[in-house]
Amino acid sequence: MEGRLRMIKGLGIDIAEISRVKQIYGRHPRFLEKILNADEIEVFNSLNTEKAKMTYLTGRFSVKEAFTKAMGTGLVGIGFHDLSVLNHPSGQPFIKTELFKGNIHVSISDTDELVITEVILEEEEK
């Protein structure tokens, strides 16, 4: 509704090394299924290069970590499959989850070595 105040409920930021995630995935291929749900795995499998796949996996891992920080819980009571990190046709990432009913803002940035993510949870003032 227009004119309603919105309040920041939580802010989470995470940074992850692509090489570290690649190393874990190389030793434990089931890491993929632990972190990504079916929709995310479909996107992962559609990517053409190993670099793109590892950046994608690292980004999804990092966003989910940032989300738990924004919720103020860490991974206590929240599983990686409790949320999906997908993209709008424009490329903008979004989180699909039942864990938070307000607006969720997501940013994912990467370099050759790192992925940095930010999640802001916003809800209407009561």
Side-chain angles (χ1 to χ4, degrees):
M1 222 179 221
E2 198 172 321
R4 285 214 141 150
L5 288 178
R6 298 198 177 268
M7 301 296 292
I8 302 280
K9 165 98 168 119
L11 169 67
I13 299 171
D14 191 72
I15 185 168
E17 295 178 70
I18 297 168
S19 63
R20 185 166 180 258
V21 170
K22 179 180 176 181
Q23 184 180 47
I24 293 168
Y25 175 64
R27 284 184 298 185
H28 307 284
R30 290 190 51 89
F31 179 71
L32 183 74
E33 289 86 21
K34 181 180 177 184
I35 303 303
L36 304 181
N37 63 35
D39 292 336
E40 294 164 323
I41 289 173
E42 185 177 327
V43 174
F44 177 88
N45 287 332
S46 75
L47 298 172
N48 295 324
T49 67
E50 181 184 40
K51 175 154 180 43
K53 287 181 177 188
M54 290 303 105
T55 301
Y56 180 86
L57 177 58
T58 305
R60 272 42 193 180
F61 173 78
S62 184
V63 166
K64 292 176 183 194
E65 288 278 335
F67 178 84
T68 67
K69 292 173 184 178
M71 290 289 287
T73 63
L75 289 172
V76 177
I78 298 177
F80 289 110
H81 287 200
D82 289 334
L83 51 151
S84 296
V85 183
L86 303 170
N87 291 78
H88 292 291
S90 66
Q92 178 185 12
F94 68 94
I95 294 176
K96 186 170 132 183
T97 185
E98 296 296 317
L99 298 174
F100 185 76
K101 301 299 182 202
N103 294 324
I104 304 172
H105 305 277
V106 182
S107 179
I108 305 172
S109 296
D110 61 85
T111 68
D112 285 339
E113 294 94 24
L114 300 171
V115 173
I116 300 167
T117 59
E118 180 177 41
V119 173
I120 299 171
L121 305 177
E122 178 187 58
E123 62 184 12
E124 286 186 5
E125 187 176 56
K126 295 176 182 174

